[in-house]
Amino acid sequence: MPAYSGPVIDAHHHIWQRKDVQWLADPPIPRMFGDYFGIRRDYPIEEWINDIVPQDVVKSVHVTAMWGPDRALDETRWLQSTADKHGFPHGIVCNANLADPDIDAALKAQKQFANLRGVRQMLYWDSNPVRQAASRADYCNDRDFRRGFALLEKHDLHFELQVYAGQAKYAVELIKAFPNVRMILVHAGMLAARTPEAINEWRAALTAMAVSPNLHVKLSGIGMYSHGVTYAQARQVIRDTIQIFGIARTIYGSNFPLEKLHASYADFFGVYRRVLAEYTEAEQRKVLHDNAAKFYRL
């Protein structure tokens, strides 16, 4: 099939001023995505637009760059003012600590911004300390976290779920406990190794989570652990993910500028286009545009 050439929605990216993002400050520390010298700088909206417009990206969703829960409202305020001035981003996913006793008021404050769509709180954890955003693997079952999580339905916000395959059994419990909360699995479930064993564990995790219809999946972050994306690697992840979740629940996201450490947007997205060209034009449009428009209400 010919590669899709229509409008695209990028459902996972960041912009920032380095001074606002603590994890970009000096000194650099070990990160799960390796050496990040190339993004320890400002990545302004003007550069983002310059990267994406030639690739027919017409709308985007900004997922929090993690200013920190204490400054989450400041980040959303800045992003909304940027959107009001430049048109991008069209959707905003904020940072939140759902275990905060005052989370109801925090979410209400976030909702004042027109482009606010959802919440991200990183839950990923494995035995490597560099890969521990949560305090434990089953933090999603924490009583205080779940009390705050229940408020997402009240505020009509979705949740960006970020876990490793080894946490799937806990994630399934969360997903099933809140069938009315829309969720999206970030970075295609974070396949962190290319061994047959790791791929099989990842496939099993996605299969277990995909049973619940309130969960979508985002084709983002595919090159995060491999320092770039190859065609063979992207084809395996994209085709497996679509086979498990189906076309209707699969959404494209670039994870820029992290992926910019290893490729231009044109080169990076070219790999996606080549893989997706194996699907019909209508199926490509759903993954690259329509599903995001519906899920993020753009």
Side-chain angles (χ1 to χ4, degrees):
M1 299 295 295
Y4 174 72
S5 59
V8 174
I9 296 175
D10 188 328
H12 196 110
H13 77 93
H14 317 286
I15 56 172
W16 56 57
Q17 300 174 105
R18 184 184 175 195
K19 66 180 180 62
D20 294 316
V21 185
Q22 185 176 3
W23 62 272
L24 292 174
D26 291 320
I29 64 173
R31 295 287 177 185
M32 62 183 179
F33 40 78
D35 179 10
Y36 58 109
F37 177 81
I39 58 171
R40 292 180 64 241
R41 61 176 180 84
D42 291 354
Y43 184 63
I45 188 66
E46 293 86 355
E47 184 176 352
W48 164 247
I49 292 173
N50 186 62
D51 282 338
I52 63 169
V53 167
Q55 302 305 313
D56 299 315
V57 176
V58 298
K59 292 183 179 181
S60 75
V61 177
H62 185 283
V63 179
T64 173
M66 308 300 292
W67 290 22
D70 293 341
R71 296 199 63 206
L73 198 63
D74 293 336
E75 183 183 21
T76 304
R77 182 179 293 108
W78 177 71
L79 289 166
Q80 185 67 58
S81 67
T82 300
D84 292 342
K85 182 177 179 180
H86 296 275
F88 287 87
H90 301 76
I92 298 170
V93 175
C94 71
N95 182 211
N97 173 14
L98 294 175
D100 185 341
D102 297 322
I103 187 61
D104 191 30
L107 294 178
K108 184 178 180 180
Q110 290 281 358
K111 284 283 289 185
Q112 71 182 290
F113 298 104
N115 291 13
L116 198 281
R117 296 292 186 271
V119 168
R120 179 196 210 185
Q121 180 172 353
M122 293 178 174
L123 299 176
Y124 64 84
W125 187 99
D126 76 7
S127 57
N128 185 339
V130 175
R131 300 179 180 177
Q132 296 175 358
S135 58
R136 62 182 195 269
D138 65 343
Y139 183 73
C140 65
N141 291 331
D142 179 84
R143 181 186 62 183
D144 291 336
F145 173 83
R146 285 205 169 193
R147 183 175 62 245
F149 194 93
L151 296 172
L152 295 177
E153 182 179 359
K154 169 186 172 181
H155 291 285
D156 192 25
L157 295 169
H158 77 271
F159 185 72
E160 304 258 333
L161 177 66
Q162 189 168 349
V163 292
Y164 287 113
Q167 299 173 267
K169 62 182 180 181
Y170 308 121
V172 166
E173 293 172 1
L174 177 72
I175 298 162
K176 289 184 175 180
F178 296 93
N180 295 326
V181 176
R182 296 177 306 116
M183 306 184 206
I184 187 162
L185 182 65
V186 176
H187 301 334
M190 305 234 291
L191 177 57
R194 300 296 305 166
T195 65
E197 294 79 11
I199 292 172
N200 287 336
E201 182 186 27
W202 170 82
R203 286 174 177 151
L206 263 62
T207 300
M209 290 185 280
V211 169
S212 298
N214 56 318
L215 181 69
H216 285 59
V217 65
K218 196 182 300 190
L219 293 173
S220 59
I222 292 177
M224 193 159 53
Y225 296 97
S226 54
H227 311 300
V229 177
T230 66
Y231 168 72
Q233 171 197 1
R235 187 176 187 272
Q236 178 264 307
V237 173
I238 291 171
R239 288 183 61 84
D240 285 1
T241 300
I242 290 175
Q243 182 174 338
I244 293 168
F245 273 87
I247 287 288
R249 287 195 286 156
T250 303
I251 292 173
Y252 163 70
S254 70
N255 198 34
F256 253 56
L258 272 75
E259 301 291 350
K260 195 169 184 171
L261 286 167
H262 308 289
S264 68
Y265 200 98
D267 289 344
F268 167 84
F269 193 40
V271 175
Y272 272 71
R273 287 191 189 275
R274 183 182 172 195
V275 174
L276 290 170
E278 299 179 34
Y279 298 86
T280 68
E281 183 178 359
E283 290 170 332
Q284 293 178 65
R285 182 182 176 96
K286 287 180 179 179
V287 172
L288 293 174
H289 182 275
D290 294 355
N291 294 344
K294 182 178 180 180
F295 185 88
Y296 287 97
R297 300 169 181 171
L298 301 179

